[in-house]
Amino acid sequence: MLELYGHPFSSYTWKAVIALRVNETPFAFRMVGPEHPENTARVAAASPLGKFPLLIDDETHVFEATSIIEHVWLHHRGPAPLLPDDPVEAARVRMIDRVFDNYVMAPLQAVVGEYLRAPKAPDQVRIDEALAQLDRAYRWLEDWLAGYRSDGAISLIECAAAPSLFYADWVRPIGEAFPRLAAFRAHLLALPAVAHCIDEARPWRAFFPPGAPDRD
Ligand SMILES: N[C@@H](CCC(=O)N[C@@H](CS)C(=O)NCC(=O)O)C(=O)O
């Protein structure tokens, strides 16, 4: 049985969990946090900065959510077309995965990180810088979506997009300026595997450092 170490409120954990669920890959979830020091220690030792998620498959430790999805695609092939078989198309999918991680998740984490660093007096300059990056990413994604046809399939792109857009919209509402992106977020949130993650994360919403809005 695969073991996935992570936390239900963690965006990158969602990314791996969504892939495992749509692929119908059985796994045991191992919670990270103060109540589970043994799990936390295992994660801390596995990668350079001890981040989660971490997948343990027999003797193999896989960290980085994208790498976990690649591992599942290679070793536990299931019904989900997580990556295209064609290497040229697969390279394009990986590029968009990088867009969501580097240009949506990263500025979102920068905002969250600023509230964690200085909860009472976060640095507004750093926050504004990150929000401006999110605006640029939203603009780019709005244009990209004009040509994106997923045919309803859930690939690495959707696994990366769902958690990053879910939380990014909390710190920088996508709004009417980006109708395709707003519709894509709504589509992703309605997917059963994503809705499941959203529900499992509800108990921790009050801990969202910048404050969670009263909506999904
Ligand atoms: N590049 C990593 C990022 C993982 C990451 O940032 N995980 C966060 C949770 S969403 C984490 O481990 N935070 C705790 C920490 O940084 O100590 C990936 O793609 O998996």
Side-chain angles (χ1 to χ4, degrees):
M1 170 75 84
L2 300 183
E3 291 179 300
L4 187 79
Y5 290 72
H7 192 280
F9 200 44
S10 138
S11 50
Y12 280 105
T13 301
W14 285 24
K15 182 171 166 180
V17 165
I18 292 164
L20 287 163
R21 289 205 177 122
V22 296
N23 201 49
E24 299 172 13
T25 309
F27 67 100
F29 188 73
R30 305 274 184 246
M31 179 93 105
V32 169
E35 299 84 23
H36 305 275
E38 69 292 357
N39 295 345
T40 307
R42 185 162 279 190
V43 165
S47 66
L49 296 187
K51 290 185 183 282
F52 43 90
L54 166 72
L55 182 80
I56 301 189
D57 183 359
D58 216 348
E59 295 298 304
T60 307
H61 287 42
V62 189
F63 57 90
E64 293 295 311
T66 297
S67 303
I68 291 172
I69 294 173
E70 297 258 11
H71 179 91
V72 170
W73 174 244
L74 289 170
H75 298 286
H76 302 277
R77 194 65 71 94
L82 296 173
L83 281 158
D85 281 313
D86 176 60
V88 175
E89 282 176 36
R92 301 291 299 174
V93 167
R94 291 186 178 98
M95 183 180 78
I96 302 302
D97 171 64
R98 298 298 76 227
V99 170
F100 283 107
D101 274 18
N102 292 332
Y103 306 120
V104 181
M105 207 83 101
L108 155 68
Q109 283 195 335
V111 174
V112 170
E114 192 46 37
Y115 280 91
L116 285 172
R117 190 190 63 82
K120 296 214 168 71
D123 183 336
Q124 199 56 45
V125 173
R126 288 190 199 178
I127 291 173
D128 288 346
E129 225 171 70
L131 295 180
Q133 287 171 4
L134 273 178
D135 286 343
R136 282 189 70 175
Y138 289 174
R139 164 57 48 214
W140 191 91
L141 286 166
E142 181 71 12
D143 294 342
W144 168 75
L145 280 166
Y148 180 55
R149 299 279 169 273
S150 74
D151 301 325
I154 303 174
S155 73
L156 176 61
I157 290 179
E158 282 70 25
C159 296
S164 55
L165 292 177
F166 177 79
Y167 286 115
D169 185 64
W170 280 10
V171 302
R172 187 59 146 189
I174 291 169
E176 290 168 7
F178 307 109
R180 281 188 285 265
L181 191 57
F184 188 49
R185 182 180 184 273
H187 156 74
L188 294 167
L189 266 52
L191 297 172
V194 178
H196 201 146
C197 287
I198 295 172
D199 284 338
E200 286 172 335
R202 283 188 203 285
W204 285 276
R205 278 198 184 185
F207 299 104
F208 189 64
D214 193 17
R215 61 174 173 83
D216 284 348

